[in-house]
Amino acid sequence: MADTIISYLVSTVGDLLKQEITTLLGAKNDIKDLASQLDVINAFLRDSEGKRDENQVVRELMRQIRDVAQEAEDAIEDFMLDAEKQRRKNVIGKIFNTGNQVANLHCVAEKTKEINKTITNIYNNFQQYGISMNVGGESSDPAHSRLKASKSVQRRRRDVEKDMVGRKDEADKITTKLITGTPELDFVSIIGMGGLGKTTIARKIYNDVAIRNHFTCRGWVFVSEEYDTRQVVLGLVKTVMPERAPEALEQKSEEELKDMLYDHLQFERYLVVLDDIWNPEMWDEISQCFPDGDKRSRIMITSRYKKVADRVCPDSDLSLRPLRFEEGWELFSRKVFRGRPCHPNIEQLGRAIVRECDGLPLSIVVMAGILAGEKSVDKWERIGKNVNSILAADKTSAEILALSYHDLPREVKPCFLYFAAFPEDFEVPARQLIRLWVGEGLIQKSRERTMEDIAEDYLENLIDRSLVQAEKFRMDGGVKTCRIHDMLRELCITEAAKENFLARQKEVNPSTSSPSNPRRLSVQCNVPNFILRNSSKLKYVRSIQSFDRGYTSKIAKMHWKAVSDGKLLRVLDFGSITVEEVPDEAGDLLNLRYLKINAPSLRQFPSSLLNLWSLRTLDMKSTKLTNVPKDIYKMQNLQHLFLSGAVKFPEPSSKQSDLECSLQTLSTVAPGHGTATLVRMGALAGMTRLGLSDSSSDADWSLLEDLHKLQNLESLKIASQINDSTILRKMDSNWFPASLIKVTLRRTKLNSMQFEIFGKLPNLRILKICNTWSNLMFRGESFPKLQALYMASVTVQSWELMEGASPGLERLIFDHCDFSCELPHTALAALAYLKDIRAIRPYGSLKDSLEILKPMVDLDKCSIVILP
């Protein structure tokens, strides 16, 4: 969209003007003129917020601005790439390429003149149609002011809202039917229009303590209109059998997955939720997966259509009612005022808005998102009048959703439209999304904050406005995955197409109505075939994401060659499709910022990738690499490197004694000499996430002694594949930096003294211990900020919890743990903030010990769930 491109260009042109090379052929003067023109257009774009849909002429001029901005972006990025190539050549290469350099400068000068002339014509159109070019700065409307810098991301974590507004009678009715009734397999169907809250009430019931205690096994899967049977079954297998390795499950056929699911469920009292079913035939395709063993198992579905419920089980449906007015007002108030008092005039206007929403929760939540934090009575009056006119014309919420989108700050809008790239009901990993936004150039640079922190603010903004749903949360309360409601997704798709922001390709041969030159492609068909048949359209594409649904074709050399013609490509995601090889052609993608590949047979790091000097994120988790070449240090912009297993990192040469890496994420690598040298020489000063894993006895774990030099390190993972008990034997409290927030230990044995050392970390919030044995020692005042303790397949021999230790502990998770000791009952019951204790298949004395703990705690404040 024009706003994002112009903002990006203002920054890019500034960088370009700093290069002395542009003084040749008078290009610098032309680029200066362009910079000045862009500043004026940028001011106009700010001032025109909210007015573009009111005037057809303004809409047309906006289209012209967008087109000319894209032309300028192409020309300038093209030139800057060539300039960077020239800078990296040796002296002889520069001499022989002087002619090409002059020609390139001539081209950019001529292109810039053409663009300046086009912009002048746009100005003339403004004057001809009497459109004001107010360049006095930001719009005075508070709804369109820029986002203020928020507090540190680490201090701003959300509490998951557990209370559902209203519908207690319906929730109780469904819960009773699930728990009581026939011992045979039975069904409950929740039916209602989109946005009525079907998923919300189902999720509330699914997570209810009584339900969790009653069923030994629970599973949830989103189905959606465009479902894939294998993906539905795979999703259920992953939720009911979380201990299974996801990589192994991905390799199984649909029939194998169905058999696995049936075999597992036949011994369980299970609850399965099939959320958002559109097609009755879908049930026929998976019904054989669910055994009926007279164990009081239940299946709950949500759907917009009664015919779906009738196919699954006639007379099993509950038609969800709209919210009553007071329920709607409570929901609205909670979202807008958050317990704070409001002006009487605003309350009156708010109640009028809620009445016009006709009890539709989605409409209420979206309107609340627009008005949250708004104190201007005039603004409330304007919104109230707008809502009334919209709902009077059409009783759907489509217009309300559009209003919510248009009210977004201009810098956040493209991030919202980016959700159009993902398939329906797709659960988007939040951190991956943030890295994609950064790679796409949707996040502007800041001197004070990292682009990732700014991007996380934008995601929180979208969630706060209820435009995006936080689906899963990390143990520290941060968003782990998110998704978007179907109705909002349709809005994203429509607006993204209108702005030529992104095109979804669901067919190998796109229809004639598809955009001819889309900037971004979300390929949701046979990816290799699409690339070959549409290679001519890839020249100026900025990103390609693949969402391949079970096709057997693979990415080979010819596909890389076709993609490499798009030399301005910023994002390439081949994560959902198998890549056979990474040939030399991949090294031509010099503008690439984000690359993800799924190459399970790849054992050697592709030398072509070392040429990608612009790359910020390289995700090669789905490979079998054993080492990384020394030339990796030439990739000085690389910030996030994801590898699989114990990959050996190279030792810097003597010439690289002053090496400074940009790496913020490195996971996982072997604790070898290369990694140890990098740590000791201070080359990883900006590292925030580090994952270490050994695969042999020659690992150099001495690097742990120098981790204190990584003063920005927040997350540390230490894993031993050979159950090495000596890794932490000589551990000292001075080894680790005070900045650590999360520590994960896997197959590293912990005695009480070693455990105490982690208790001295002043900012540690999450501790995960897996596949080992441990003696837990919580001395007084230890673990001062610990919020969550997660243990999986751990044998606990002793546990001492003294007064004053871990005062802020909130969650205890025991997954397949074996206790040969009692829990510290009295000490646990005294923890003021403890709210969630969960044991999955407990062994030894753990189950009985938890039963003893139950009457000692307030179960209204702290749930204790035991899943046998």
Side-chain angles (χ1 to χ4, degrees):
M1 60 199 316
D3 305 64
T4 308
I5 297 171
I6 295 292
S7 298
Y8 173 77
L9 282 178
V10 168
S11 172
T12 304
V13 170
D15 293 340
L16 185 60
L17 287 170
K18 295 175 185 176
Q19 300 187 29
E20 295 180 3
I21 193 172
T22 59
T23 58
L24 294 173
L25 298 178
K28 190 164 187 176
N29 291 331
D30 294 311
I31 294 174
K32 275 186 175 180
D33 289 342
L34 177 59
S36 178
Q37 302 264 39
L38 290 173
D39 280 334
V40 175
I41 286 183
N42 204 23
F44 169 73
L45 291 173
R46 287 196 301 265
D47 187 62
S48 67
E49 285 286 321
K51 306 171 187 175
R52 300 175 191 176
D53 289 335
E54 299 173 6
N55 188 311
Q56 187 173 351
V57 175
V58 173
R59 287 200 301 270
E60 173 56 26
L61 292 177
M62 289 302 304
R63 186 193 64 77
Q64 293 179 21
I65 290 175
R66 183 197 69 205
D67 291 346
V68 75
Q70 291 178 350
E71 284 187 44
E73 183 184 37
D74 294 340
I76 290 173
E77 281 203 354
D78 211 346
F79 172 76
M80 293 188 76
L81 272 179
D82 287 334
E84 181 64 16
K85 286 182 189 177
Q86 179 71 11
R87 189 184 70 80
R88 290 172 178 264
K89 292 181 182 297
N90 57 32
V91 175
I92 296 177
K94 288 180 179 179
I95 293 173
F96 280 104
N97 281 275
T98 300
N100 291 336
Q101 178 189 357
V102 172
N104 289 337
L105 282 165
H106 179 73
C107 287
V108 78
E110 291 301 311
K111 188 65 178 177
T112 305
K113 287 177 181 177
E114 291 178 19
I115 292 169
N116 284 333
K117 186 184 295 184
T118 303
I119 293 174
T120 300
N121 291 335
I122 292 174
Y123 289 161
N124 292 335
N125 287 332
F126 287 147
Q127 295 171 0
Q128 179 180 349
Y129 292 102
I131 298 171
S132 171
M133 286 285 290
N134 178 8
V135 294
E138 298 283 352
S139 169
S140 59
D141 190 339
H144 307 300
S145 61
R146 291 182 176 275
L147 281 176
K148 296 179 180 179
S150 67
K151 295 180 180 179
S152 168
V153 171
Q154 294 300 336
R155 295 178 182 175
R156 182 200 21 77
R157 296 298 184 197
R158 61 178 57 248
D159 280 332
V160 184
E161 184 176 79
K162 293 186 176 180
D163 295 329
M164 180 182 63
V165 173
R167 295 220 172 94
K168 186 177 185 304
D169 54 339
E170 293 171 303
D172 289 346
K173 181 178 179 181
I174 295 171
T175 301
T176 300
K177 184 169 184 181
L178 291 174
I179 292 177
T180 62
T182 176
E184 300 167 345
L185 176 64
D186 204 0
F187 303 83
V188 174
S189 305
I190 305 174
I191 307 300
M193 66 174 289
L196 200 54
K198 301 181 296 295
T199 299
T200 301
I201 191 172
R203 178 69 74 180
K204 173 68 176 177
I205 294 166
Y206 182 81
N207 289 322
D208 185 85
V209 173
I211 291 293
R212 288 155 60 180
N213 285 334
H214 181 75
F215 292 98
T216 63
C217 176
R218 296 177 304 138
W220 181 297
V221 68
F222 292 104
V223 181
S224 77
E225 183 177 14
E226 300 168 0
Y227 69 91
D228 177 278
T229 304
R230 182 183 176 278
Q231 291 299 319
V232 171
V233 180
L234 177 61
L236 278 176
V237 170
K238 287 181 177 180
T239 58
V240 302
M241 290 183 277
E243 69 277 4
R244 296 295 185 112
E247 297 80 6
L249 295 176
E250 293 287 351
Q251 306 302 320
K252 294 189 178 294
S253 68
E254 180 180 317
E255 291 305 315
E256 288 174 323
L257 291 170
K258 287 181 176 179
D259 290 342
M260 284 183 64
L261 183 59
Y262 183 92
D263 292 342
H264 181 79
L265 293 180
Q266 67 177 327
F267 300 108
E268 305 281 356
R269 179 191 295 164
Y270 62 85
L271 170 64
V272 166
V273 180
L274 306 174
D275 189 21
D276 196 22
I277 302 181
W278 288 61
N279 193 331
E281 284 71 35
M282 180 268 165
W283 170 249
D284 298 336
E285 297 177 32
I286 66 168
S287 59
Q288 68 271 27
C289 298
F290 305 111
D292 182 0
D294 290 339
K295 295 180 178 292
R296 299 185 183 276
S297 295
R298 302 290 184 258
I299 294 176
M300 181 163 57
I301 71 166
T302 73
S303 179
R304 302 183 183 198
Y305 304 113
K306 191 175 186 303
K307 62 182 180 181
V308 173
D310 291 341
R311 176 67 66 90
V312 175
C313 184
D315 302 322
S316 68
D317 61 292
L318 168 71
S319 294
L320 210 59
R321 60 170 174 79
L323 292 179
R324 301 182 180 99
F325 172 75
E326 288 303 325
E327 294 172 338
W329 172 246
E330 183 184 350
L331 174 61
F332 184 83
S333 300
R334 182 179 297 180
K335 295 284 186 180
V336 175
F337 308 122
R338 302 181 182 180
R340 298 186 296 268
C342 66
H343 191 281
N345 292 349
I346 286 182
E347 178 175 345
Q348 183 179 358
L349 291 166
R351 287 181 175 272
I353 289 171
V354 171
R355 285 191 182 92
E356 294 298 332
C357 291
D358 285 343
L360 189 66
L362 179 61
S363 300
I364 295 170
V365 167
V366 171
M367 290 306 303
I370 294 173
L371 293 165
E374 181 56 57
K375 297 179 180 179
S376 168
V377 175
D378 290 341
K379 174 71 179 292
W380 277 75
E381 288 178 345
R382 288 201 306 275
I383 295 296
K385 290 177 182 177
N386 200 3
V387 171
N388 289 336
S389 61
I390 291 170
L391 296 179
D394 187 347
K395 289 295 184 180
T396 69
S397 62
E399 290 89 348
I400 296 179
L401 302 180
L403 181 64
S404 183
Y405 161 69
H406 290 304
D407 194 67
L408 279 173
R410 63 200 296 258
E411 59 267 37
V412 182
K413 284 183 178 179
C415 296
F416 174 67
L417 293 189
Y418 203 78
F419 280 88
F422 302 105
E424 187 179 10
D425 284 327
F426 189 86
E427 208 169 307
V428 187
R431 284 180 171 149
Q432 178 179 322
L433 176 67
I434 284 169
R435 290 190 289 268
L436 284 167
W437 284 349
V438 172
E440 293 275 9
L442 303 182
I443 310 298
Q444 297 305 305
K445 295 178 181 178
S446 168
R447 293 181 181 179
E448 293 80 22
R449 309 179 65 206
T450 68
M451 286 192 283
E452 284 78 7
D453 279 357
I454 295 171
E456 187 165 354
D457 278 351
Y458 289 0
L459 179 58
E460 289 284 344
N461 188 289
L462 291 170
I463 292 171
D464 287 343
R465 290 168 176 265
S466 301
L467 289 172
V468 171
Q469 300 171 2
E471 190 65 25
K472 293 178 182 175
F473 293 85
R474 302 194 300 269
M475 295 191 76
D476 64 353
V479 179
K480 185 176 183 178
T481 63
C482 57
R483 60 190 293 268
I484 192 167
H485 190 279
D486 294 348
M487 297 173 70
L488 287 161
R489 178 173 172 270
E490 290 301 319
L491 172 66
C492 276
I493 293 169
T494 301
E495 293 291 333
K498 186 192 301 182
E499 296 282 355
N500 197 29
F501 178 81
L502 181 145
R504 298 181 311 136
Q505 304 293 352
K506 305 184 74 171
E507 298 177 359
V508 171
N509 297 311
S511 63
T512 54
S513 60
S514 299
S516 56
N517 293 302
R519 305 300 277 184
R520 297 171 181 84
L521 289 174
S522 172
V523 186
Q524 300 176 21
C525 57
N526 189 309
V527 177
N529 287 355
F530 176 86
I531 289 173
L532 292 180
R533 297 189 189 184
N534 297 275
S535 58
S536 61
K537 296 183 178 181
L538 304 182
K539 185 176 181 181
Y540 291 112
V541 167
R542 288 303 193 275
S543 74
I544 299 174
Q545 289 199 65
S546 64
F547 297 95
D548 196 307
R549 295 198 172 194
Y551 295 101
T552 57
S553 303
K554 298 180 180 180
I555 297 294
K557 182 174 182 177
M558 57 184 172
H559 304 106
W560 283 102
K561 181 171 175 47
V563 169
S564 66
D565 289 339
K567 62 179 181 177
L568 300 182
L569 197 68
R570 294 175 188 158
V571 168
L572 181 59
D573 186 343
F574 280 156
S576 70
I577 185 169
T578 302
V579 175
E580 280 189 336
E581 59 178 322
V582 184
D584 292 344
E585 284 79 1
D588 295 333
L589 297 170
L590 300 179
N591 201 41
L592 207 61
R593 270 80 157 170
Y594 179 102
L595 175 62
K596 182 177 183 179
I597 58 174
N598 170 30
S601 62
L602 189 66
R603 296 182 179 275
Q604 186 173 353
F605 193 96
S607 59
S608 57
L609 299 186
L610 299 171
N611 298 326
L612 306 182
W613 63 65
S614 299
L615 205 61
R616 294 174 61 96
T617 297
L618 177 57
D619 189 337
M620 302 183 72
K621 289 194 296 287
S622 300
T623 63
K624 293 182 179 179
L625 298 181
T626 56
N627 57 68
V628 175
K630 284 190 175 182
D631 284 343
I632 190 75
Y633 298 120
K634 293 180 180 179
M635 304 176 72
Q636 294 182 2
N637 290 311
L638 189 62
Q639 295 187 354
H640 307 284
L641 178 58
F642 298 95
L643 303 167
S644 177
V647 182
K648 293 183 179 179
F649 219 68
E651 188 165 3
S653 65
S654 57
K655 297 179 181 180
Q656 296 171 317
S657 57
D658 59 345
L659 177 69
E660 289 187 14
C661 291
S662 298
L663 281 172
Q664 297 175 16
T665 304
L666 180 58
S667 184
T668 57
V669 293
H673 297 302
T675 314
T677 302
L678 284 174
V679 172
R680 287 169 187 145
M681 65 191 291
L684 301 177
M687 182 73 64
T688 59
R689 300 172 63 81
L690 177 62
L692 301 169
S693 176
D694 65 14
S695 59
S696 62
S697 57
D698 63 349
D700 182 10
W701 284 104
S702 64
L703 69 85
L704 294 178
E705 301 174 22
D706 295 295
L707 287 184
H708 62 273
K709 295 181 179 180
L710 307 183
Q711 293 298 310
N712 294 300
L713 191 65
E714 296 177 356
S715 176
L716 174 64
K717 181 183 295 184
I718 299 173
S720 172
Q721 305 300 322
I722 57 174
N723 290 297
D724 191 346
S725 61
T726 66
I727 293 175
L728 302 175
R729 186 172 57 187
K730 299 180 181 179
M731 185 172 66
D732 186 89
S733 59
N734 296 322
W735 284 13
F736 305 107
S739 55
L740 274 175
I741 293 173
K742 177 181 178 181
V743 171
T744 302
L745 305 171
R746 189 179 298 275
R747 298 188 181 91
T748 55
K749 297 179 181 178
L750 283 173
N751 60 35
S752 57
M753 293 181 61
Q754 294 162 344
F755 194 83
E756 281 186 66
I757 290 175
F758 288 108
K760 295 178 181 179
L761 294 173
N763 294 299
L764 187 66
R765 298 179 188 173
I766 302 169
L767 180 60
K768 300 179 73 172
I769 308 172
C770 310
N771 305 97
T772 187
W773 60 264
S774 182
N775 294 310
L776 308 183
M777 170 59 73
F778 289 73
R779 291 198 180 277
E781 299 184 358
S782 64
F783 296 100
K785 292 188 178 179
L786 190 68
Q787 295 175 353
L789 175 61
Y790 174 89
M791 291 187 284
S793 300
V794 176
T795 298
V796 180
Q797 298 178 326
S798 66
W799 186 351
E800 188 171 356
L801 178 59
M802 297 184 178
E803 185 177 356
S806 58
L809 188 65
E810 297 178 4
R811 301 184 67 190
L812 278 173
I813 310 296
F814 308 108
D815 189 349
H816 291 74
C817 290
D818 186 0
F819 274 57
S820 57
C821 64
E822 291 290 316
L823 292 171
H825 300 108
T826 304
L828 286 175
L831 293 175
Y833 296 98
L834 190 60
K835 58 185 179 182
D836 185 17
I837 303 175
R838 191 175 310 171
I840 303 166
R841 286 188 167 83
Y843 298 103
S845 62
L846 179 56
K847 182 178 179 180
D848 291 340
S849 197
L850 284 171
E851 294 293 348
I852 294 172
L853 181 62
K854 281 184 178 181
M856 301 175 66
V857 301
D858 185 347
L859 294 178
D860 290 332
K861 296 180 179 179
C862 177
S863 66
I864 299 179
V865 178
I866 303 172
L867 300 176

